[in-house]
Amino acid sequence: MNIVYHNTANFFNATKYSRLSREAGALLHEEFALNCYVKLPFFFNDDSFAILKAEILRIFEQHSRRRDFNMKHEQNTPRHLSTVSGVAVAEDSQLIPALYRDSQLIEFLCGIAGTQVYLVPDPFDRHVIHRLDKIGDVHGGHLDTYAFAFAIFIETPPEEAGGCLEFVPHSMEISDLDTPFAKRVGHNIGDCYFMKTNKSVHRVLPLSEEVKRTNLIFTYADDETINIDISYSSQPLYG
């Protein structure tokens, strides 16, 4: 059932994130400027996260498509995962697009980024679902078209099963992955992160077990990317 829920203001964890504002986000700007990444654990309150998780899984089961290819635009790095496009999400959910546009969330992200954050023009790339669940599933090294990603984890593999995020702050070179410059971060269910994804090369490492790594990803633009109509990865990943 499509959840009719327009007011997302009460979705956030008021204990840990008492007020989402530009000023609150700015407290994390120094860390973000250094690493192009900040982790946001327990970002949603428990009841709201349960609603959001159910909505994501419902949409995934109805609309996901398997993708197995190499991305020519990114040195033929591999893509082995299942996805749901932003268009499919928008057609079947009121909750997720409302959360994507939530003014408190956007103001908070503006504070972290230290710049204005915009909704992206490409409807396929705005709010997408990714799942890795087979041995060898991987989202290979790449940079994104738009400036920022806000990711919400609803299913995560155990640490020993692979699937962690690897990234190199301020590097646009795929060859810097799997070097001492790279950072690797695991995530738990309920974690979120905010990342500068067009100036920090990144990938999801392969799964070594049949476990699920499922997240909802919000894509946002900055002043430099707001006028890009279509992401290079839209059609291969979501078309």
Side-chain angles (χ1 to χ4, degrees):
M1 182 178 65
N2 188 348
I3 298 171
V4 179
Y5 198 107
H6 298 287
N7 180 14
T8 53
N10 297 321
F11 261 55
F12 309 107
N13 184 344
T15 302
K16 189 170 179 63
Y17 304 92
S18 57
R19 181 170 176 267
L20 292 191
S21 65
R22 195 175 292 235
E23 292 74 23
L27 299 176
L28 298 169
H29 174 66
E30 184 176 351
E31 178 184 353
F32 186 77
L34 178 65
N35 294 320
C36 298
Y37 167 95
V38 291
K39 183 185 283 191
L40 301 164
F42 308 109
F43 193 72
F44 298 97
N45 66 60
D46 290 344
D47 291 343
S48 298
F49 182 75
I51 292 169
L52 180 60
K53 179 176 180 177
E55 180 80 336
I56 293 168
L57 292 177
R58 179 186 68 82
I59 292 170
F60 182 85
E61 293 305 320
Q62 294 182 13
H63 299 285
S64 65
R65 292 182 58 188
R66 180 73 189 178
R67 313 285 175 165
D68 292 286
F69 66 97
N70 292 338
M71 184 70 78
K72 292 181 180 179
H73 186 87
E74 294 284 359
Q75 301 180 27
N76 286 313
T77 52
R79 304 290 183 275
H80 299 293
L81 70 163
S82 298
T83 69
V84 180
S85 78
V87 170
V89 170
E91 289 176 348
D92 198 16
S93 176
Q94 294 187 22
L95 169 61
I96 292 172
L99 187 60
Y100 173 68
R101 292 175 168 82
D102 186 275
S103 59
Q104 288 186 86
L105 175 61
I106 290 174
E107 282 296 295
F108 181 66
L109 299 181
C110 287
I112 298 175
T115 190
Q116 188 60 43
V117 171
Y118 304 97
L119 311 183
V120 298
D122 186 345
F124 286 89
D125 208 26
R126 286 176 187 155
H127 29 61
V128 301
I129 303 169
H130 287 184
R131 175 183 283 174
L132 284 66
D133 61 2
K134 302 180 187 305
I135 294 174
D137 272 8
V138 62
H139 193 158
H142 64 285
L143 295 161
D144 290 353
T145 298
Y146 298 108
F148 305 113
F150 175 76
I152 304 165
F153 285 85
I154 65 158
E155 294 177 307
T156 59
E159 184 177 350
E160 66 275 11
C164 75
L165 174 70
E166 182 183 59
F167 64 98
V168 185
H170 305 289
S171 171
M172 300 178 70
E173 301 296 329
I174 289 177
S175 59
D176 282 341
L177 292 166
D178 199 23
T179 72
F181 299 113
K183 298 177 180 290
R184 293 184 176 181
V185 183
H187 297 92
N188 297 314
I189 293 171
D191 282 351
C192 298
Y193 71 73
F194 186 54
M195 188 174 182
K196 177 73 168 168
T197 48
N198 70 331
K199 298 290 177 68
S200 182
V201 66
H202 56 285
R203 64 176 174 174
V204 179
L205 293 178
L207 293 181
S208 58
E209 300 177 18
E210 287 201 359
V211 290
K212 293 177 181 177
R213 183 191 194 272
T214 308
N215 59 3
L216 173 66
I217 303 168
F218 291 166
T219 302
Y220 295 101
D222 61 2
D223 288 321
E224 294 180 7
T225 57
I226 185 59
N227 293 318
I228 302 174
D229 291 335
I230 300 174
S231 167
Y232 76 88
S233 62
S234 275
Q235 288 308 304
L237 276 175
Y238 313 119

